[in-house]
Amino acid sequence: MGPRSTSIPTSTLDWGLRKLMHITCTTVFGEESSTPPTTLNNGQKHCKDAPARVSTAPSPYSDSYRYCGVEANAMYYQGGDSEWANEVRGCLTCMDEMDVAPHDAHMFCYREGTDKAGSLKGTLQGYGEAIKTAFKNYGSQIQRWGRNLASNVASTMHSWVVSILR
């Protein structure tokens, strides 16, 4: 019997990373899925095949636009130019034009980037560039947010356990 494979399917990894982002953004920043279903559906249909955008293309975002506490232009210009990053950037730009809420757009476009990058390496490279950019620009804030997240998750889990034991 040979060595056991410990590889994680790309779709599972992507789901886990998007789930972690969802929990962080909703728990710490109060970001919510707020797009009306018809608008979200239209955005997903229209933006599924949006053209990729490189980081040197003009950003559509204002300097004050943030998602999950991170400035959109920093991510746009410094988030790398891997296939995953360019696909996500193109999709997010399209979703913004379709008036899809940022949280809904990120959840959809990160999955699309993973599907189009087509490999675990491409997905990890893309997420890695995004995380590196966020820490580079907002490292101390992210550490503080991480502590807040840990505290909120611990509090939620405690409440859940207490309610089960009652």
Side-chain angles (χ1 to χ4, degrees), residues 47-64:
C47 299
K48 184 171 182 60
D49 296 315
R53 287 176 70 112
V54 295
S55 63
T56 55
S59 170
Y61 306 116
S62 71
D63 289 338
S64 62

Side-chain angles (χ1 to χ4, degrees), residues 140-160:
S140 62
Q141 287 179 330
I142 289 172
Q143 289 172 355
R144 188 170 52 252
W145 297 329
R147 285 192 299 272
N148 290 345
L149 174 63
S151 174
N152 288 336
V153 168
S155 175
T156 301
M157 289 180 75
H158 176 265
S159 298
W160 181 67

Side-chain angles (χ1 to χ4, degrees), residues 36-51:
T38 303
T39 303
L40 180 58
N41 221 6
N42 290 339
Q44 290 173 342
K45 286 178 188 172
H46 183 73
C47 299
K48 184 171 182 60
D49 296 315

Side-chain angles (χ1 to χ4, degrees), residues 3 17 36 39 50 105 107 119 145 162:
L17 291 169
T39 303
M107 293 297 106
S119 71
W145 297 329
V162 167

Side-chain angles (χ1 to χ4, degrees), residues 91-130:
C91 180
L92 287 173
T93 301
C94 178
M95 294 291 262
D96 184 59
E97 292 167 357
M98 297 292 293
D99 293 324
V100 173
H103 186 70
D104 296 324
H106 280 77
M107 293 297 106
F108 176 76
C109 292
Y110 277 32
R111 185 180 68 238
E112 287 301 301
T114 295
D115 289 348
K116 290 178 181 177
S119 71
L120 180 61
K121 181 180 177 185
T123 297
L124 286 174
Q125 181 183 7
Y127 272 103
E129 289 169 344

